[in-house]
Amino acid sequence: MPTLPMLDKNVNNSPHVVLLGAGASVAACLQGDKNGRKLPVMDNLIEILGLQEILDRVGLPCKSENFEELYDDLVSNKEYRSIAKDIEERICHYFSEIEIPEEPTVYDYLILALRKKDLIASFNWDPLLLQAYRRNIQIQRLPQVVFLHGNVGMGMCYEDKRIGYLNTLCEKCMRPLGPAKLLYPIKHKDYSSDLLMRDQWNRLRNHLRTGYWFTIFGYSVPLSDVDARELMLEAWKPNPTRELAQIEIIDIKSGPELKKSWDEFIVGQHYGICEDFLGSYLYQHPRRSCEAFAAANLMVNPWKENKFPEARTLSELQNWIQPLLEEEVKYEKYKDPFRYMTS
Ligand SMILES: [Zn+2]
């Protein structure tokens, strides 16, 4: 028998886990970043970052359009290691310059749609999610965020094992946090030897073990990354609520293709696919996805839809979630049940 999610006074304390891939950053900046810089995916990264120029220097033909395949070829050949280094620098530089547009992006909506119990795990190197997090920080009740391949906006003091924003001070030695390592796409990645990587992956795995919703946004498991898939599956499979849990895939690829690539994670018909964030359950039930889903499916007593508005400014969006925040405070302080959206 699957275990029912932890429901208490209409509150579902099981986490909602969101996995982000390059497609999510593209969706956050459809017209490019604040300065018009394009956000790449693996299939156009070579072109957008102008990496061909580096390859041309040594007369290396680009055998594949896909960056992951190219990079793995480069590092497995001693002769080309220095080229790989140049490419890493170019990547780091390009992503460091990315700036979030002023108007609310998909990442602002996403961050405000989740609560402290929830987790966003991103495979992206760009700093957009961190920038969105920082500008919503006054809300306080934000989800946890981890970066599974490192991030250019993240800093680390390896000596004192402290993680934070790049260049902010380490609370122990008071020196600025240095850049955290980025993990580049090689066939067999080492997710456990680096302290930061190990911590970030462990946090994702802990959430997958108890998650009730699992949203996969703009991320296709690259065939080369068998380790990432295995690590996630290993944590997701023994989850006692998995048989009742829901998977939602936000992606522009075709339904059958997506279903096939996540088949091992899906139980029965407990999955949904939508093309963009506006169609997602998180957009329709911000901050209440796990409650609304449990009410509809376990109690057969669906909640009213409480869709986000299409906000033009960030403060409009932040004001809109106020009643939800207030309800959360009342539950924590006085154990008042959630009733704002119950029918
Ligand atoms: Zn330190």
Side-chain angles (χ1 to χ4, degrees), residues 156-162 169-177:
M156 178 86 194
C157 174
Y158 281 90
E159 220 164 280
D160 300 318
K161 305 182 174 52
R162 293 291 197 277
L169 299 186
C170 162
E171 56 192 50
K172 202 162 172 213
C173 66
M174 298 311 280
R175 280 187 302 230
L177 298 174

Side-chain angles (χ1 to χ4, degrees), residues 6 30 49 69 127 129 135 139 147 183 297 309 311 316:
M6 298 170 274
L30 284 174
L49 271 69
E69 288 164 31
L129 185 69
R135 67 186 187 179
I139 298 298
F147 293 97
L183 214 58
N297 288 276
E316 212 179 301

Side-chain angles (χ1 to χ4, degrees), residues 116-132:
K116 273 198 257 179
K117 65 177 176 69
D118 306 319
L119 178 100
I120 304 175
S122 171
F123 279 100
N124 300 334
W125 294 316
D126 69 72
L128 292 167
L129 185 69
L130 277 180
Q131 291 169 358

Side-chain angles (χ1 to χ4, degrees), residues 302-322:
W303 285 18
K304 282 177 276 184
E305 201 177 72
N306 187 35
K307 237 191 231 179
F308 266 129
E310 275 189 50
R312 273 160 305 164
T313 65
L314 207 53
S315 52
E316 212 179 301
L317 200 57
Q318 292 169 347
N319 288 338
W320 185 84
I321 63 164
Q322 284 309 318

Side-chain angles (χ1 to χ4, degrees), residues 242-303:
R242 188 175 70 108
E243 284 180 44
L244 299 165
Q246 180 78 355
I247 290 190
E248 183 169 55
I249 306 168
I250 310 172
D251 210 302
I252 48 173
K253 290 198 201 76
S254 80
E257 188 187 341
L258 293 166
K259 164 81 168 50
K260 198 173 153 214
S261 65
W262 291 98
D263 231 6
E264 289 171 286
F265 288 78
I266 296 168
V267 179
Q269 290 305 309
H270 294 215
Y271 75 101
I273 294 174
C274 53
E275 269 188 12
D276 59 22
F277 188 69
L278 294 172
S280 73
Y281 207 74
L282 272 172
Y283 191 83
Q284 285 146 22
H285 297 279
R287 305 187 77 79
R288 299 292 182 267
S289 51
C290 293
E291 286 80 10
F293 189 71
N297 288 276
L298 301 176
M299 272 87 87
V300 204
N301 183 21
W303 285 18

